[in-house]
Amino acid sequence: MRLDLAPTDDVFVLTGAGISAESGVATFRDANGLWENHKVEEVATPEAFATQPVLVWRFYAQRRAQAKTVAPNPGHRALAALEARLGDRFYLATQNVDNLHEAAGSTRLVHMHGELFKSRCSDPACDRAPFVDDRSDFSDGLPRCACGELERPHIVWFGEMPFEMHAIKRRVQRATVFLCVGTSGVVYPAAGLVGEMAYRKSMGERVRSIYVGLERPANAAQFDQVVLGKAGEVLPGFLAA
Ligand code: OAD
């Protein structure tokens, strides 16, 4: 099975934890949404950072340390190769905070849920921009911005707005092919993006949406095609030139 693309096709790709699973990054579902008996939803929130910043930084420090040990898999590389072929007719929005898409060579991508290897000042009024940060040892104390406030991971926590939603929606609206890989389809607004394609199709536009992943996502009914399998096994053939 191969994705047939016309020279006029514009491809929007949405990836989730499943694309990084074969690289050894645990998906949220695999971990049952738990970390050291805490629900991830209780650690990855502005409220948790306000009351227990040490716990929150410990969680991200562990994730940074683990993320340094993993490498891109054939799924990430197949998407980078597709981008190399399509250029500006390709756009990738990932829900993942790891940097495996970049490591595989993707450049036209946004991290809608933030980036593990960036931090920023926790004070929204501070004008310091988010910065690259791979520190994972905070035994000497939590990092502080020059303004005096704590630094925080550059991650979209529960209850916060994903990044780049305006640009993402614009790209979905101009896409003719929506390819979604390895996401359970339960976390919004990401899970709602395919709905835009379904709506445009119902209005007579020639657009397609395809899901690739291990199991049917919660929003499977909105896709035209569901291809079941591991991303690293399906994508190289599916996206071959
Ligand atoms: P999930 O863990 O909810 O879902 C991962 C999906 O990947 C599941 O549907 C699996 O079947 C599938 N999968 C597992 N291994 C795979 C493989 N080798 N190839 C293809 N698919 C595979 O992760 P997400 O849907 O990405 O948000 O989670 C979405 C968001 O929920 C995350 O970004 C995070 C979380 O709360 C925030 O942190 C804001």
Side-chain angles (χ1 to χ4, degrees):
M1 204 182 328
R2 206 171 60 95
L3 178 67
D4 278 325
L5 291 175
T8 50
D9 271 324
D10 188 287
V11 179
F12 180 99
V13 183
L14 172 69
T15 63
I19 186 97
S20 295
E22 289 154 85
S23 295
V25 182
T27 64
F28 296 90
R29 286 193 156 187
D30 284 345
N32 286 323
L34 291 179
W35 170 71
E36 293 188 358
N37 291 327
H38 299 282
K39 280 190 187 160
V40 170
E41 289 90 331
E42 288 164 12
V43 185
T45 64
E47 293 75 20
F49 189 71
T51 54
Q52 305 183 78
V54 173
L55 178 85
V56 174
W57 262 119
R58 199 155 59 79
F59 173 64
Y60 287 103
Q62 278 184 16
R63 296 192 66 192
R64 280 183 180 174
Q66 202 255 346
K68 285 179 196 166
T69 68
V70 299
N73 66 57
H76 297 105
R77 285 196 288 274
L79 289 170
L82 181 65
E83 178 184 344
R85 264 166 55 210
L86 300 184
D88 286 333
R89 292 188 292 118
F90 177 97
Y91 189 86
L92 170 59
T94 184
Q95 298 170 83
N96 299 343
V97 297
D98 66 51
N99 60 0
L100 295 178
H101 283 302
E102 293 92 321
S106 290
T107 59
R108 292 166 179 88
L109 91 156
V110 293
H111 283 272
M112 57 190 298
H113 290 167
E115 292 174 69
L116 196 50
F117 291 115
K118 282 189 182 170
S119 299
R120 69 174 192 263
C121 180
S122 63
D123 181 354
C126 178
D127 55 15
R128 184 180 179 195
F131 53 93
V132 173
D133 183 10
D134 72 349
R135 290 170 296 175
S136 55
D137 179 2
F138 300 111
S139 48
D140 289 338
L142 296 184
R144 278 195 187 270
C145 181
C147 78
E149 291 298 326
L150 284 178
E151 292 169 5
R152 59 165 277 179
H154 187 50
I155 298 277
V156 175
W157 285 329
F158 289 91
E160 295 183 324
M161 195 58 177
F163 297 134
E164 304 281 352
M165 281 314 294
H166 189 63
I168 287 171
K169 283 184 182 157
R170 272 209 319 267
R171 287 303 296 230
V172 171
Q173 278 158 6
R174 82 173 225 195
T176 56
V177 176
F178 182 98
L179 173 64
C180 185
V181 183
T183 172
S184 48
V186 291
V187 174
Y188 285 78
L193 294 175
V194 65
E196 171 70 18
M197 300 303 277
Y199 172 74
R200 287 173 53 204
K201 192 171 185 191
S202 76
M203 296 313 253
E205 288 190 52
R206 287 169 63 89
V207 296
R208 295 173 277 166
S209 57
I210 304 116
Y211 179 81
V212 175
L214 265 191
E215 57 202 324
R216 288 174 69 78
N219 55 355
Q222 292 193 295
F223 287 89
D224 298 312
Q225 187 182 2
V226 173
V227 182
L228 294 182
K230 291 186 175 179
E233 292 173 5
V234 172
L235 291 182
F238 192 60
L239 301 180

Tab-separated table of all heavy atoms in Angstrom, residues 36 50 62 104 114 195 211 231:
chain	number	residue	atom	x	y	z
A	36	GLU	N	5.697	7.393	38.611
A	36	GLU	CA	5.947	7.240	40.055
A	36	GLU	C	4.649	7.369	40.861
A	36	GLU	O	4.582	8.110	41.854
A	36	GLU	CB	6.980	8.258	40.537
A	36	GLU	CG	8.359	7.996	39.944
A	36	GLU	CD	9.439	8.884	40.555
A	36	GLU	OE1	9.129	9.730	41.419
A	36	GLU	OE2	10.609	8.715	40.161
A	50	ALA	N	3.253	25.403	40.509
A	50	ALA	CA	3.137	26.463	41.515
A	50	ALA	C	3.315	25.909	42.923
A	50	ALA	O	3.877	26.562	43.799
A	50	ALA	CB	1.783	27.158	41.388
A	62	GLN	N	13.967	13.664	34.406
A	62	GLN	CA	14.023	12.232	34.024
A	62	GLN	C	13.707	12.051	32.550
A	62	GLN	O	14.330	11.256	31.858
A	62	GLN	CB	13.011	11.432	34.838
A	62	GLN	CG	13.511	11.061	36.223
A	62	GLN	CD	12.501	10.168	36.956
A	62	GLN	OE1	11.603	9.593	36.359
A	62	GLN	NE2	12.668	10.064	38.269
A	104	ALA	N	15.806	13.394	12.707
A	104	ALA	CA	15.688	12.642	11.447
A	104	ALA	C	15.823	13.563	10.240
A	104	ALA	O	15.906	13.081	9.107
A	104	ALA	CB	14.340	11.919	11.398
A	114	GLY	N	4.982	21.740	22.935
A	114	GLY	CA	6.228	22.202	23.520
A	114	GLY	C	7.396	21.280	23.242
A	114	GLY	O	7.281	20.302	22.487
A	195	GLY	N	-11.312	16.781	11.866
A	195	GLY	CA	-12.699	17.188	11.638
A	195	GLY	C	-12.805	18.257	10.564
A	195	GLY	O	-13.780	18.298	9.803
A	211	TYR	N	-5.133	7.653	8.698
A	211	TYR	CA	-4.522	7.404	9.999
A	211	TYR	C	-3.607	6.188	9.904
A	211	TYR	O	-4.006	5.153	9.358
A	211	TYR	CB	-5.583	7.149	11.087
A	211	TYR	CG	-4.930	6.873	12.421
A	211	TYR	CD1	-4.472	7.932	13.204
A	211	TYR	CD2	-4.695	5.571	12.858
A	211	TYR	CE1	-3.805	7.697	14.396
A	211	TYR	CE2	-4.030	5.332	14.055
A	211	TYR	CZ	-3.588	6.396	14.818
A	211	TYR	OH	-2.914	6.165	15.992
A	231	ALA	N	4.316	2.467	12.982
A	231	ALA	CA	4.722	3.578	12.114
A	231	ALA	C	6.045	3.274	11.403
A	231	ALA	O	6.182	3.537	10.206
A	231	ALA	CB	4.856	4.855	12.944
